[in-house]
């Protein structure tokens, strides 16, 4: 059976993925499927850089604002929704464009699911979460992970406790590390005939883009967005509120740090996140990097369309 065609746009935060996806959809008659683990939450718009109607430019976007922030979302659950959305897009005679910076979600869609993405043990996870109740416990869990899987531990901050716990959970259930399972997944055949692109910038230019984006988020009302979520009863300890930009704003709102310091931390955290994204996408041999510095979104999108046609993903 022929694999269905797909175009994927990944890459680091603030690299202009969304704008390129919109322009590409105009060129190829496509629709966007978001692959961002935070943009799927309702009420979390500014801090996740969720495209607004003007930025969508009349192009249909899918899997945005589909779940309350209280809901936990797995890569497996996301993949199911993405497969459904892309099937419906193809049924309308359009081309799906999977766009986002969450590499795990992109892999969950484009490769058959491995154990690490679609199974778990709630009781074991609860035990590990109980141990992570304080900073000392989080450090101890991170050290346990480092002892069994230094590669995974090296790319996770000790405070990224959700992923640290997931890695320990997977190891205890399978006897294999996340790194080993990721290597197995890399060898699985892709589900789609995909052209996979990522946008490339000089590091200093990317960091400038990130800083400007954070300043724009603050200008647009990130503080008010976080206050609204808290007033609505959302716990500051829930997974969604631990997202970059939200937890720092909570600290400022509670008076633990100044607003200026919160903005500095968001910028630094965003730069660190971009580094991790670059590492993730650069180790994926499928990715075609496109230099985007100084180029318009339309120009970059036209190059993507040309390359996709050359690869046989798009018809001439």
């Amino acid at each position: 059976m022929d694999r269905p065609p797909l175009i994927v746009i990944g890459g680091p935060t603030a690299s202009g993925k969304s704008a390129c996806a919109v322009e590409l959809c105009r060129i190829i008659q496509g629709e966007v499927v978001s692959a961002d683990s935070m943009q799927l939450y309702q009420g979390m718009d500014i801090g996740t850089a969720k495209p607004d109607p003007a930025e969508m430019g009349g192009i249909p976007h899918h899997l945005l604002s589909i779940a309350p922030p209280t809901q936990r979302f797995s890569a497996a659950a996301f993949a199911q929704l993405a497969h459904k959305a892309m099937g419906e897009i193809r049924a309308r005679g359009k081309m799906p464009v999977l766009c986002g910076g969450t590499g795990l979600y992109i892999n969950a869609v484009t490769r058959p699911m491995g154990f690490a993405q679609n199974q778990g043990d709630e009781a074991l996870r609860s035990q590990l979460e109980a141990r992570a109740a304080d900073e000392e416990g989080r450090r101890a869990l991170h050290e346990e992970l480092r002892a069994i899987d230094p590669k995974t531990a090296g790319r996770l901050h000790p405070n990224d406790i959700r992923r640290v716990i997931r890695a320990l959970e997977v190891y205890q259930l399978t006897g294999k590390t996340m790194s080993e399972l990721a290597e197995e997944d890399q060898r699985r055949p892709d589900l789609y005939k995909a052209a996979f692109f990522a946008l490339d910038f000089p590091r200093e230019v990317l960091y400038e883009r990130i800083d400007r984006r954070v300043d724009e988020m603050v200008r647009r009302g990130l503080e008010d967005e976080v206050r609204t979520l808290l007033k609505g009863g959302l716990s500051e300890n829930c997974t969604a509120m631990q997202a970059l930009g939200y937890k720092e704003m909570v600290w400022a709102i509670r008076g633990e740090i100044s607003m200026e310091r919160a903005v500095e931390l968001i910028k630094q955290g965003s730069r660190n996140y971009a580094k991790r994204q670059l590492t993730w996408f650069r180790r994926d041999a499928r990715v075609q990097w496109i230099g985007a510095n100084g180029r318009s979104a339309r120009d970059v999108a036209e190059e993507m369309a040309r390359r996709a046609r050359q690869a046989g993903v798009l018809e001439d």
Side-chain angles (χ1 to χ4, degrees):
M1 181 177 175
D2 291 339
R3 293 174 297 161
L6 173 66
I7 294 179
V8 182
I9 304 176
T13 186
S15 59
K17 298 182 294 294
S18 295
C20 288
V22 167
E23 291 298 333
L24 180 61
C25 285
R26 290 187 173 128
I27 294 169
I28 67 172
Q29 296 297 300
E31 298 184 16
V32 175
V33 178
S34 171
D36 186 295
S37 61
M38 288 293 115
Q39 290 184 358
L40 55 82
Y41 288 121
Q42 298 154 354
M44 300 179 71
D45 303 334
I46 297 172
T48 65
K50 193 180 298 178
D52 61 27
E55 291 166 328
M56 293 180 194
I59 299 298
H61 283 60
H62 305 269
L63 304 191
L64 295 174
S65 302
I66 59 172
T70 51
Q71 182 177 337
R72 282 195 176 189
F73 236 89
S74 67
F78 171 81
Q80 288 182 339
L81 293 174
H83 290 314
K84 181 175 184 292
M86 292 192 296
E88 293 170 351
I89 291 168
R90 287 192 299 274
R92 289 192 288 273
K94 301 292 185 69
M95 170 66 72
V97 176
L98 184 66
C99 176
T102 305
L104 178 62
Y105 278 22
I106 290 174
N107 280 2
V109 172
T110 57
R111 288 192 164 120
M113 300 295 288
F115 180 92
Q117 294 171 329
N118 63 8
Q119 296 186 41
D121 185 306
E122 289 289 343
L124 174 58
R125 188 178 308 137
S126 296
Q127 292 173 13
L128 293 169
E129 288 173 346
R131 291 180 56 196
D134 55 33
E135 185 176 349
E136 182 178 349
R138 291 192 291 272
R139 284 200 304 267
L141 288 174
H142 191 263
E143 286 305 313
E144 286 183 24
L145 179 60
R146 187 182 302 280
I148 61 172
D149 187 1
K151 184 181 293 186
T152 298
R155 64 178 177 81
L156 295 179
H157 190 280
N159 288 336
D160 192 357
I161 196 60
R162 181 170 64 90
R163 290 185 174 87
V164 170
I165 285 175
R166 181 59 177 154
L168 290 169
E169 176 190 4
V170 166
Y171 179 73
Q172 292 189 37
L173 291 173
T174 68
K176 295 182 178 180
T177 66
M178 289 286 276
S179 297
E180 290 170 333
L181 291 170
E183 290 173 1
E184 291 179 3
D185 287 347
Q186 290 283 340
R187 294 191 291 270
R188 297 172 187 268
D190 286 0
L191 295 174
Y192 295 88
K193 183 176 184 180
F196 195 157
F197 303 109
L199 305 179
D200 199 18
F201 285 90
R203 191 67 61 95
E204 66 275 9
V205 174
L206 179 62
Y207 287 174
E208 290 172 2
R209 292 174 64 93
I210 288 171
D211 288 350
R212 287 199 301 271
R213 170 178 277 186
V214 174
D215 288 337
E216 178 64 12
M217 288 175 176
V218 174
R219 188 194 67 77
R220 290 180 58 201
L222 177 58
E223 178 184 353
D224 288 341
E225 179 171 272
V226 175
R227 288 185 182 276
T228 298
L229 291 167
L230 294 172
K231 288 178 182 177
L234 187 63
S235 169
E236 62 191 61
N237 297 316
C238 80
T239 299
M241 287 295 274
Q242 297 305 303
L244 181 62
Y246 290 86
K247 62 179 183 295
E248 294 86 356
M249 198 56 64
V250 167
W251 297 338
I253 290 170
R254 288 166 50 181
E256 296 178 7
I257 60 175
S258 68
M259 191 59 66
E260 292 77 13
R261 179 57 178 159
V263 173
E264 290 176 6
L265 290 174
I266 294 169
K267 289 179 178 178
Q268 183 60 56
S270 298
R271 291 192 291 268
N272 291 338
Y273 178 50
K275 289 180 186 177
R276 295 194 297 273
Q277 288 175 303
L278 286 166
T279 298
W280 177 286
F281 288 113
R282 289 199 189 283
R283 71 187 184 198
D284 192 327
R286 301 173 298 172
V287 176
Q288 301 180 54
W289 289 89
I290 296 181
N293 191 30
R295 301 173 66 186
S296 68
R298 180 73 181 195
D299 187 34
V300 173
E302 287 174 347
E303 180 175 345
M304 290 178 179
R306 287 195 300 270
R307 292 195 189 189
R309 291 189 182 98
Q310 290 168 359
V313 175
L314 292 177
E315 296 181 359
D316 292 326

